[in-house]
Amino acid sequence: MTKMRVRESLLPFALPDVDDAEIAEVASVIRSGWLTSGSKAAQFESEFAAFVGAKHAVAVNSCTAAMHLALEAIGLRAQDEVIVPTYTFAATAEVVRYFGAKPVLVDVDPVSLCIDPAKVEAAITPRTRAIVPVHMGGRSAEMDEIGATASRHDLRVIEDAAHAFPTKYRGRMIGSISDFTCFSFYATKTLTTGEGGMICTDNEKWADRCRVMCLHGISHQAWKRYTAEGSWYYEIVAPGFKYNMTDIAAAMGLVQLHKAGRMREQRERIARRYTTAFRGLPELEPAPEAPAQDQHAWHLYALRLNLDSFTIDRARFFDELKDRKIGASVHFIPLHLHPYYRETYGYKPDHFPVASREYQREVSLPIYSKMTDDDVQDVIDAVTEIARQYLR
Ligand SMILES: Cc1ncc(COP(=O)(O)O)c(C=O)c1O
């Protein structure tokens, strides 16, 4: 067997694909003197809306803010319930708690790790107001089934698309399907503005409400009505939040948007190389591809270990990757295993057996457009070497 190349430095788990073009655009905004939300944020909104096929897009400073505003726009109240997959990040359920409402956790599909549509129906009660599917790792949840269930019960669908840009479901862009779609532009995401987010909706009333509430509940329309008062006039129509996106961030977002297709193709190529390399090893389960008419954003490459075939556990697998200078992560520790959700709602590991089991054996490998061919090969070599060395 040929000896593995030893890396000199750690391969980071994630790195943004940011170059001189982003730096030049950000510098030009800084030189312009207009730093906060202005023409760049507006341009980013309209270009993003056109890209995903939404009528309206509202730029905010995180996906968490986007989901909070979407729930506010539908008028969520403390006595309400919202259905959320347990296999997700903190933000998806915490925004429901902002209203004092209850996030009702649901188990996931063992292949996609997205919410199991068959289990959504059973979680619906007279208090349910919305379903928040998460497109795990950039692969779409089953939107037709979720949409049909929502229509039957008159529920709103708010997609957590933090991982899902650019993702397609049955040929349609994520962002053009449900009542709301919320994107994240956090530093590790497939399009980054450092921190940032976007709310997409086709409903003008909801979009207007999100615009008002993302900036202190101040109505931009008010001063137009009271022209006698002049352009300094504004009205507070509700106690809003401070969630607006700056022009500095939006300038970066516009450059990222223009190269989003190229960055996704590069991530897809990396995913294909991983899958080809791992397919023959029974101790490894490659990340599943998306169905044929879908498009996977490949934000994450979720490898799964067949732990029965290993003499080591996942923690040791991580140590072995680290020894070979490969960064990795786990997505996610399901919500029902965290103290807050256990203690508040009495959730136990066996309430969601699929999520509890899959979490134990998931390893997210580096997948980003800045990776070189050698970086990808280093990951493949490290993973296959560990798999061979510790095969039971
Ligand atoms: C599934 C999911 N939803 C929401 C978020 C929150 O995104 P943001 O950091 O932009 O608020 C994340 C962040 O990692 C996420 O992974």
Side-chain angles (χ1 to χ4, degrees), residues 109-113 136-139 267-281 283-291 296-306 331 358 361-367 383:
D109 175 85
V111 176
S112 69
L113 303 178
M136 256 310 288
R139 174 184 162 142
R267 287 191 304 274
E268 183 167 79
R269 270 201 293 279
I270 297 167
R272 293 243 157 90
R273 278 185 68 189
Y274 284 159
T275 295
T276 306
F278 304 148
R279 196 179 275 137
L281 299 170
E283 59 274 38
L284 301 175
E285 264 176 48
E289 301 258 333
H296 202 314
W298 289 112
H299 165 53
L300 299 175
Y301 189 92
L303 178 71
R304 276 175 270 182
L305 309 178
N306 290 326
H331 294 87
E358 297 307 317
R361 64 194 199 97
E362 196 271 352
V363 178
S364 297
L365 298 178
I367 181 163
V383 169

Side-chain angles (χ1 to χ4, degrees), residues 62-64 67 88-89 91-92 134 160 162-163 184 186 189 196 332:
S62 72
C63 179
T64 309
M67 293 190 291
T88 187
F89 184 60
T92 322
V134 177
D160 179 340
H163 301 178
S184 172
Y186 178 68
K189 297 301 195 297
F332 285 102

Side-chain angles (χ1 to χ4, degrees), residues 210-340:
C210 290
R211 281 189 203 288
V212 166
M213 293 307 277
C214 88
L215 205 58
H216 304 296
I218 288 175
S219 169
H220 297 281
Q221 305 305 321
W223 67 268
K224 287 184 194 156
R225 286 201 303 271
Y226 296 88
T227 42
E229 303 284 3
S231 59
W232 50 268
Y233 189 80
Y234 64 86
E235 284 183 350
I236 299 163
V237 296
F241 311 100
K242 184 67 168 74
Y243 283 163
N244 56 303
M245 175 180 279
T246 66
D247 267 17
I248 299 175
M252 193 170 161
L254 279 162
V255 179
Q256 292 265 297
L257 187 62
H258 300 157
K259 62 190 201 189
R262 193 262 296 158
M263 294 194 291
R264 194 204 70 83
E265 280 163 21
Q266 283 172 280
R267 287 191 304 274
E268 183 167 79
R269 270 201 293 279
I270 297 167
R272 293 243 157 90
R273 278 185 68 189
Y274 284 159
T275 295
T276 306
F278 304 148
R279 196 179 275 137
L281 299 170
E283 59 274 38
L284 301 175
E285 264 176 48
E289 301 258 333
Q293 315 108 297
D294 291 13
Q295 175 178 283
H296 202 314
W298 289 112
H299 165 53
L300 299 175
Y301 189 92
L303 178 71
R304 276 175 270 182
L305 309 178
N306 290 326
L307 288 169
D308 290 347
S309 305
F310 279 91
T311 57
I312 55 172
D313 60 10
R314 185 193 38 196
R316 179 71 190 282
F317 191 93
F318 263 88
D319 292 342
E320 295 287 331
L321 280 175
K322 202 165 148 217
D323 287 349
R324 291 163 177 80
K325 299 202 168 71
I326 304 294
S329 191
V330 169
H331 294 87
F332 285 102
I333 305 169
L335 295 178
H336 69 278
L337 301 179
H338 288 281
Y340 176 76

Side-chain angles (χ1 to χ4, degrees), residues 48 75 88 132 140 171 215 259 261 263 297 313 333 343 347 351 374:
F48 194 89
T88 187
V132 185
S140 176
L215 205 58
K259 62 190 201 189
M263 294 194 291
D313 60 10
I333 305 169
E343 287 156 21
Y347 286 129
H351 288 170
D374 279 350

